[in-house]
Amino acid sequence: MVALPLRGHHIGLSKLGIGASVAWYRACDATVTTIAAGHIMDKYGLKAAAIPSMLLMGIAFSLLSVVKGSWSLAAVALVFGVGNGFCGGILNAFATGLAPKNARTQFLGLWKTVTSIGGICVPPFFGMVSDASNLDLAGYFASGAALCTLLWAVFVVQDVSKEAPPDSEVPQREQISVSLAHNPSPA
């Protein structure tokens, strides 16, 4: 999350203030992920978690331009944290659902590589847009990307269920890791 520290620096916060805003973001993210995200995805589907997540992330990026002090940065960090928390694990859930049974390991490895490349490229790209224009425009650009993702979730994602099936009908997720019982080490 490069946007919060950049905005904190832009408005002249101390390093402690910037660090505290990032810590607050992480605490909000972890709390929502722990309490709500998995439950929402399991009970209502990926779309039910993706839509509010992208909506909140888009709002948070747009709100960056009005941040003028530590309290407003903390409020935006809260919106970022809740939005990001809602999508906790959503990329892994998508990958698991899309992985072909005959090449699951290879698919998941490639999926992780692609998402990691995105995570590596986006922060410098955000900084580049900010350098080329200003921090507000970079935030609006990121907000636009969140809006595109929101529209994708609304119109493309198909796994919506208004009600969860009874517990006996909920399929158990396959184990992604390899059990040592299946691959004993040589004695």
Side-chain angles (χ1 to χ4, degrees):
M1 175 52 62
V2 72
L4 286 172
L6 287 177
R7 178 53 75 178
H9 181 266
H10 180 76
I11 62 173
L13 284 185
S14 68
K15 292 174 185 152
L16 175 61
I18 293 169
S21 70
V22 173
W24 174 239
Y25 153 75
R26 296 293 296 169
C28 295
D29 179 356
T31 301
V32 172
T33 300
T34 301
I35 294 173
H39 175 74
I40 290 169
M41 282 189 280
D42 287 344
K43 186 165 181 150
Y44 303 105
L46 296 174
K47 197 171 186 176
I51 290 171
S53 172
M54 291 302 101
L55 182 63
L56 288 170
M57 294 298 282
I59 290 168
F61 276 114
S62 292
L63 287 174
L64 277 176
S65 64
V66 299
V67 169
K68 304 295 182 215
S70 59
W71 288 107
S72 56
L73 188 64
V76 171
L78 170 74
V79 178
F80 269 124
V82 172
N84 200 53
F86 266 118
C87 72
I90 206 164
L91 288 176
N92 292 334
F94 271 123
T96 302
L98 294 172
K101 291 187 188 288
N102 61 347
R104 186 172 302 277
T105 304
Q106 296 88 342
F107 181 87
L108 293 173
L110 181 60
W111 184 276
K112 178 62 178 166
T113 301
V114 169
T115 57
S116 293
I117 290 169
I120 292 167
C121 294
V122 169
F125 184 73
F126 187 89
M128 183 181 72
V129 171
S130 179
D131 280 346
S133 56
N134 62 48
L135 192 55
D136 295 344
L137 187 61
Y140 293 138
F141 184 81
S143 185
L147 175 63
C148 290
T149 305
L150 172 69
L151 293 172
W152 173 78
V154 168
F155 295 111
V156 177
V157 174
Q158 299 295 319
D159 70 333
V160 174
S161 65
K162 298 287 183 192
E163 297 178 20
D167 287 339
S168 61
E169 295 179 26
V170 175
Q172 296 296 317
R173 292 187 178 147
E174 292 182 21
Q175 291 284 346
I176 294 175
S177 60
V178 176
S179 170
L180 289 177
H182 291 96
N183 297 314
S185 60

